[in-house]
Amino acid sequence: SFASQWLHLRRMRSVAPDANAFPEFDENLRDAFIRETELFVQSQLRTDRSVVELLTSDYTFVNERLARHYGIPNIYGPRFRRVAVHEEHRRGLLGHGSIHTVTSLATRTSPVIRGKWVLENILGAPPPPPPPDVPELPDRADDGRMRSMRERMEEHRANPVCASCHSRMDPLGFAMQNFDAIGKWRDEEGGTVIDASGALPDGRSFDGLSELRDLLLLRPEEFVTTVTEKLLTYALGRGVEYYDRPAIRRIVRESESQDYRWSSIVAGVAKSMPF
């Protein structure tokens, strides 16, 4: 339940990828996406791993349907089993199809939604709401050529009103652009090679999801703080307020000596003044 609330897995029941664009998507795949992430988070909790391993872990859970979607061979039957992940881009939560699907539109990916999801749920720095009546970005250039997603998003960043937020969101979303709207890996989009490079708000650059993950791991306390905030929100049944921040910082600080293990953070929440 915590994972569903934090990672927006509940939205998986209502997402509807376009049948013409993604004919391979069906209810079995939808259920498999949800189950993979639930089993993964459950495994991390029960074995009391470091919270940071949510981003780095080299295993996941698949059945035959999901393994075929990911291109993992020799998995048969409906039963889920733990398998090793050999591709860098499939490591941790950011390699899960559930995350890619709930952060996409029906017919295409959305770097904006994905970037916003990363800011909110990984970095704990949600952007402000968008201004009203933002127009749709045209798919084609003036000469009729189909434009890449990156070209379309350049328009938003060229507008000073939009740039303050999009300069933070879009690069994070583009790091995941190699995943299509149902989490399948691709190297091209509309015949154009995907450019997954970008930079964090502090100027540090990356090229692709693996390099973005490496940058996030340089400051693991930022991700741990986000998880702690989400867990405290779940435990309290209310949003976190400014007066809860000292308790969150204390939980993170005290859990560092225990490698940010789940037990240390859960205990810290239970012993905190807000709880």
Side-chain angles (χ1 to χ4, degrees):
S1 180
F2 165 64
S4 295
Q5 177 176 303
W6 167 35
L7 302 172
H8 302 181
L9 292 185
R10 294 169 180 172
R11 287 196 58 232
M12 275 300 303
R13 292 298 177 191
S14 60
V15 296
D18 183 79
N20 293 319
F22 305 102
E24 66 268 42
F25 185 85
D26 56 21
E27 292 305 308
N28 289 330
L29 187 58
R30 183 197 305 274
D31 293 341
F33 279 158
I34 297 171
R35 192 63 181 145
E36 174 192 21
T37 305
E38 288 178 343
L39 288 171
F40 175 70
V41 175
Q42 183 182 77
S43 169
Q44 291 281 306
L45 278 160
R46 287 186 170 178
T47 56
D48 196 21
R49 308 302 299 175
S50 169
V51 164
V52 179
E53 287 193 23
L54 288 174
L55 297 179
T56 63
S57 185
D58 61 355
Y59 72 90
T60 190
F61 293 83
V62 299
N63 62 0
E64 181 178 355
R65 179 69 184 86
L66 187 56
R68 188 167 69 247
H69 186 70
Y70 286 168
I72 301 174
N74 304 320
I75 303 294
Y76 305 104
R79 181 179 63 86
F80 277 80
R81 76 290 313 261
R82 175 172 164 162
V83 298
V85 171
H86 301 292
E87 299 89 355
E88 279 292 320
H89 59 263
R90 285 290 177 198
R91 294 172 72 100
L93 284 173
L94 296 179
H96 285 206
S98 59
I99 306 303
H100 309 136
T101 305
V102 299
T103 55
S104 294
L105 302 176
T107 58
R108 62 171 176 82
T109 58
S110 173
V112 176
I113 298 176
R114 286 181 174 177
K116 181 175 182 287
W117 187 93
V118 172
L119 282 174
E120 288 181 342
N121 299 294
I122 303 299
L123 297 176
D133 304 322
V134 178
E136 282 291 320
L137 296 171
D139 293 339
R140 296 184 181 275
D142 294 338
D143 59 5
R145 177 181 57 85
M146 183 67 73
R147 301 192 303 171
S148 70
M149 180 61 65
R150 184 176 285 270
E151 287 178 306
R152 282 179 261 170
M153 297 310 303
E154 289 290 350
E155 287 191 17
H156 275 323
R157 291 196 295 278
N159 185 331
V161 176
C162 306
S164 59
C165 290
H166 279 274
S167 62
R168 297 169 59 210
M169 292 188 295
D170 295 358
L172 298 172
F174 281 124
M176 303 169 70
Q177 189 65 4
N178 282 107
F179 294 104
D180 70 10
I182 58 170
K184 182 170 285 189
W185 184 260
R186 59 188 180 168
D187 294 312
E188 296 183 355
E189 178 191 14
T192 303
V193 175
I194 291 173
D195 180 1
S197 63
L200 292 176
D202 61 10
R204 291 179 292 162
S205 61
F206 58 84
D207 188 1
L209 180 58
S210 296
E211 290 190 11
L212 171 61
R213 186 189 295 114
D214 290 342
L215 288 180
L216 297 178
L217 294 175
L218 293 176
R219 299 174 183 173
E221 69 282 353
E222 293 183 359
F223 175 61
V224 177
T225 298
T226 301
V227 177
T228 302
E229 178 182 322
K230 300 295 183 181
L231 194 61
L232 184 62
T233 297
Y234 180 77
L236 297 177
R238 64 165 174 82
V240 168
E241 303 293 344
Y242 70 91
Y243 44 77
D244 299 316
R245 297 294 172 187
I248 293 173
R249 289 193 293 270
R250 180 175 181 177
I251 294 168
V252 173
R253 185 171 62 250
E254 293 181 351
S255 69
E256 182 179 6
S257 63
Q258 300 179 54
D259 197 27
Y260 300 123
R261 293 188 180 277
W262 279 102
S263 58
S264 64
I265 294 177
V266 171
V269 168
K271 294 186 293 183
S272 69
M273 183 61 72
F275 188 80

